[in-house]
Amino acid sequence: MKLTEGKSRQVFATESEDEVRVFHKDDETAYNGIKHVIIPGKGIIINKISAILYETLERNGIATHYIRTIDDRQQLCRKVDPIRLEFIVRNYAAGDMTERLDVKTGTKLSIPVVECCYKSDELDDPIINRSYAIALGMASREELDLIEEELGHINLVLTSLFHEVGIKLVDFKVEFGRLADGTLLVCDELSPDSCRLWDEQTDDSMDRDRFRYDLGNVGEMYEEVLRRLSNFINE
Ligand code: C5P
């Protein structure tokens, strides 16, 4: 039974109440789904990249929803109660930040910037601050403290992994969900669709910006990210 369908993933129930099956589709979208294309085989690449990223986080003590890869397109994941917030961590200025503020794309930020957004397609995921999130019951103060600490750790682990393969982690988005006992897990998508990845030598985009800004070779660049990560992991 299908539980939910997002822009690039479907989530199915399993025999276990505590686990779900996540299926990666070939859809590539931008601007809240306004721009949309099918890239044949993209779901297979995303499934593999996402598994490498989740396994790396787990190896480094970060609790995530990922359990294991089932096949080419599917992962078995822990079922969580999703928190309706998206957290964006920025190491360099790009995208929305450069449109809102007078800061040039590619500027190195002196500390990582963390943004908290209310997850709502209708409202275009507006940025909110901690007091909104707490006042509106989206997360507790304690949960936000834990998440902030975890975001710093995730940023260090992913920045270092990508650096090993010649890629700059410009920014990324992550989400969190709760288990029945309140434990927080990183969940949802983790891939070049939810990160900005620039080649360290050329500053070429290797992420969804290739699609957003019509830079071409989206699938090829995703494959290149996978090739570099796989080579590094299998070294
Ligand atoms: O658009 P913006 O500059 O805020 O995006 C920051 C980072 O978060 C980018 O890597 C983008 O791909 C990711 N993001 C996402 N899903 C959203 C919003 C942003 O994956 N709904």
Side-chain angles (χ1 to χ4, degrees), residues 70-84:
I70 299 173
D71 61 23
D72 257 11
R73 287 182 181 269
Q74 302 186 91
Q75 297 174 353
L76 188 66
C77 295
R78 263 167 282 245
K79 189 171 181 181
V80 294
D81 168 27
I83 294 181
R84 273 193 81 176

Side-chain angles (χ1 to χ4, degrees), residues 81-150:
D81 168 27
I83 294 181
R84 273 193 81 176
L85 295 171
E86 295 187 341
F87 296 91
I88 293 173
V89 180
R90 301 180 187 274
N91 294 309
Y92 297 84
D96 187 57
M97 177 176 182
T98 60
E99 286 158 30
R100 276 184 293 108
L101 301 170
D102 194 11
V103 52
K104 219 171 131 248
T105 300
T107 306
K108 171 98 178 95
L109 301 168
S110 61
I111 56 162
V113 167
V114 175
E115 282 169 20
C116 173
C117 304
Y118 174 51
K119 197 172 156 64
S120 160
D121 279 346
E122 301 76 57
L123 300 174
D124 224 1
D125 304 331
I127 296 184
I128 59 170
N129 63 24
R130 275 174 67 103
S131 53
Y132 273 114
I134 297 165
L136 299 176
M138 292 163 190
S140 67
R141 195 178 300 279
E142 294 70 29
E143 283 177 326
L144 291 172
D145 286 345
L146 278 173
I147 287 174
E148 200 161 318
E149 204 175 301
E150 205 69 336

Side-chain angles (χ1 to χ4, degrees), residues 7 32 86-90 94-100 115 117 119 121 124-125 127 169-175 188-189 191-197 207-209 212-213:
K7 297 182 193 89
N32 208 355
E86 295 187 341
F87 296 91
I88 293 173
V89 180
R90 301 180 187 274
D96 187 57
M97 177 176 182
T98 60
E99 286 158 30
R100 276 184 293 108
E115 282 169 20
C117 304
K119 197 172 156 64
D121 279 346
D124 224 1
D125 304 331
I127 296 184
L169 180 60
V170 172
D171 59 34
F172 62 93
K173 184 265 307 178
V174 281
E175 296 180 32
D188 206 75
E189 167 158 33
S191 79
D193 271 352
S194 56
C195 302
R196 280 199 174 87
L197 306 171
D207 57 68
R208 189 148 59 117
D209 276 353
R212 283 192 190 96
Y213 305 139

